[in-house]
Amino acid sequence: MSKPRKKQGNPDFWHRVTVLAPSSQEIESRLFELISPGTFANLKGIKDKERSLRDA
């Protein structure tokens, strides 16, 4: 098995490939989907149960 070759030359002149990112609207909608008030409501119920079991 041969070693991987190191890139030669000045990195300023290397060919760069730009990757398209999703739009801001898509990112915003996905974040809201993941971090919505309903998500935290479920966590509050779990924490309340843990506290009641611990304090009992």
Side-chain angles (χ1 to χ4, degrees), residues 6-18:
K6 288 187 177 180
K7 289 188 174 185
Q8 299 287 325
N10 188 341
D12 291 335
F13 297 115
W14 292 346
H15 177 72
R16 290 182 177 84
V17 178
T18 55

Side-chain angles (χ1 to χ4, degrees), residues 22-35:
S23 68
S24 298
Q25 186 72 22
E26 291 175 42
I27 294 171
E28 183 181 342
S29 64
R30 181 68 176 137
L31 283 174
F32 186 75
E33 202 175 288
L34 295 172
I35 307 172

Side-chain angles (χ1 to χ4, degrees), residues 36-54:
S36 63
T39 305
F40 294 108
N42 292 338
L43 293 176
K44 185 181 181 319
I46 292 170
K47 287 289 184 185
D48 289 343
K49 286 179 186 175
E50 288 176 0
R51 282 190 198 124
S52 65
L53 290 174
R54 184 179 43 182

